[in-house]
Amino acid sequence: MKADKTMQKPSKFQIIGVLSVTWLLAVVFMYFLRPAILPPVLNLEVEKEEDLLYRPWGNEKTFTEEGQSNGGELEEKEVEEEAWSSVDACKFVLVESIPEDLPYLPARPAAQPLIQSWMELLDSAQDSVHVASFYWSLTGSDIGVNDSSSQPGEELLEKLETLLARNVSLTIATSDPTLALNSTDLEVLMGKGAQVRKIPMKHLTQGVLHSKFWIVDMKHVYLGSANMDWRSLTQVKELGIVIYNCSSLAHDLEKTFQTYWILGAPGATIPKHWPQNYSTNINWHQPLQGTLDGMVTTAYFSASPPVLCPKGRTRDLGALLSLIRDAKDFLYASVMEYFPTSRFQHPFKYWPVIDNALREAAFNRHVPIRLLISCGKNSDPSMFPYLRSLQALTNPQANVTIDVKIFIIPVGNHSNIPFSRVNHSKYAVTEKKAYVGTSNWSEDYFTNTAGVGVIVNQSSSDPQHPAPTIQDNLRGIFERDWQSPYAISLEKLPGQQDCVWHA
């Protein structure tokens, strides 16, 4: 009997063998069943599954006055000097759209028409087009409008449809939910073979995907205020920048596109630590720099919110504050909305980060400041007291100047088109830097809404025959708008809620 009981007991080797086989089967099982959430183009492999699958961002983080997180965020570090790729011949060109029927606002030679630039980019595409846009609405029927001004948008949609017939891939990241509830643009493009992901930013960050940029063939970039909306081409004033033949910056912006794309996969959440593939060595500490087309140029991209800034990426708020801090001779800014508060969080919260930076620049360093703020039918008049408070700081005896004007586009015979006839631009310029972004100036856009910006500094390499820099051209656009009859001083506004242009 004892012998039989002994024979029934498994040996140590048998136990170890069974455990080893069980462990191996478990590893194989987990490998094949783990979520496959990979970007469509770049080989951005995830280092660890737990780095990818992470809880949605809550409100547990707080921010310092400089807009930096006080805990849990990846810190930017100075890196070795980066140079432009040897194949780059980067060219920076401002682009804008001017609404129809603005007789006193001539186009600037320094800025290309937005629709022309977009069409040329699509015509030149040979391999891929990546588009990040808040929403899509390229046809008049999307909003029940029959107006000839929708034609450029409809032609743009047709041009996008032809990309896949030419074996050019089209990849789109957009916000979910969308403002364009009746638009069929994305369904049409998906029917032609486009890849589309709708990013649930409300769930992920309590914000939206507000970015607007293109990457064409990994060498051309568009970034600016214009959504994929026909009104952005003919009914809304927009400003952006196109960077041609610049693979260094195109590949860098692609990393931001990939942060959106990966979060559009089913069940995806924000990584606790973004994989190294998403990090960048191009930032405000060390921008890309070189002599391009006779210009000594530095440039880098910024992004928001902080949780969508992998290691090395400058935060959008930090880039804007850096521009304000570095200004000496002047600071001009054009933005659709200005609020030193939150806008979409309830209850509203006071947030004077940008406001304080402007006051400090004007009061302590005597930098002349001009703000051009938009106002239209859908504008919130509660921003006017904040703007009057800023302007009240002006004191000629103390050499303190903050001037504010409101830009009002006449509606004319376009009253049938909703959410139009407004200055949608978002940029700032000083004697040193040009900043072109996608965010309005209030807290939400920098702390929980996805946005991007580009910061460029140029100086002529030939002081004897200096060519206009990107700062010069952007300043020229601002001054044209500032001096136009559509720019109304705060004192001359007929009433807080009257944003009607009076000839």
Side-chain angles (χ1 to χ4, degrees), residues 6 278 365 374 409 493:
T6 303
Y278 294 81
R365 293 184 283 115
S374 180
I409 296 176
L493 277 180

Side-chain angles (χ1 to χ4, degrees), residues 372-386:
L372 190 60
I373 310 299
S374 180
C375 192
K377 182 178 179 181
N378 302 107
S379 298
D380 185 348
S382 66
M383 69 178 168
F384 293 138
Y386 301 117

Side-chain angles (χ1 to χ4, degrees), residues 106-280:
R108 289 278 300 182
Q112 293 181 357
L114 176 63
I115 183 59
Q116 174 188 327
S117 298
W118 278 3
M119 288 297 198
E120 289 175 353
L121 283 173
L122 294 182
D123 284 337
S124 71
Q126 297 178 352
D127 180 59
S128 64
V129 176
H130 289 186
V131 178
S133 181
F134 181 23
Y135 66 92
W136 285 67
S137 182
L138 289 175
T139 69
S141 59
D142 288 343
I143 57 174
V145 169
N146 183 13
D147 192 285
S148 61
S149 65
S150 67
Q151 183 177 349
E154 289 152 5
E155 292 175 353
L156 180 66
L157 181 60
E158 292 176 1
K159 181 80 72 173
L160 287 162
E161 291 181 58
T162 65
L163 287 177
L164 294 125
R166 296 195 285 115
N167 203 30
V168 177
S169 66
L170 176 60
T171 308
I172 296 167
T174 189
S175 194
D176 184 35
T178 178
L179 295 178
L181 298 176
N182 298 319
S183 175
T184 60
D185 295 354
L186 294 178
E187 286 72 16
V188 167
L189 294 174
M190 284 190 288
K192 300 292 185 179
Q195 298 181 74
V196 178
R197 282 190 178 176
K198 300 178 180 180
I199 319 304
M201 294 300 298
K202 179 67 175 178
H203 169 69
L204 293 168
T205 68
Q206 302 302 306
V208 298
L209 192 156
H210 200 253
S211 299
K212 310 103 168 37
F213 64 83
W214 296 18
I215 305 167
V216 177
D217 292 342
M218 293 299 158
K219 64 179 181 180
H220 310 305
V221 166
Y222 160 79
L223 185 154
S225 62
N227 290 297
M228 300 303 293
D229 186 332
W230 65 269
R231 289 164 290 190
S232 294
L233 303 173
T234 58
Q235 294 294 336
V236 174
K237 190 173 183 299
E238 309 277 10
L239 185 127
I241 188 169
V242 175
I243 308 172
Y244 295 100
N245 300 309
C246 202
S247 60
S248 302
L249 288 178
H251 278 91
D252 190 59
L253 186 59
E254 174 67 13
K255 294 179 179 181
T256 293
F257 183 87
Q258 295 294 339
T259 64
Y260 304 157
W261 185 262
I262 203 170
L263 295 176
T269 52
I270 296 175
K272 184 176 181 180
H273 301 291
W274 285 97
Q276 181 63 28
N277 310 67
Y278 294 81
S279 65
T280 180

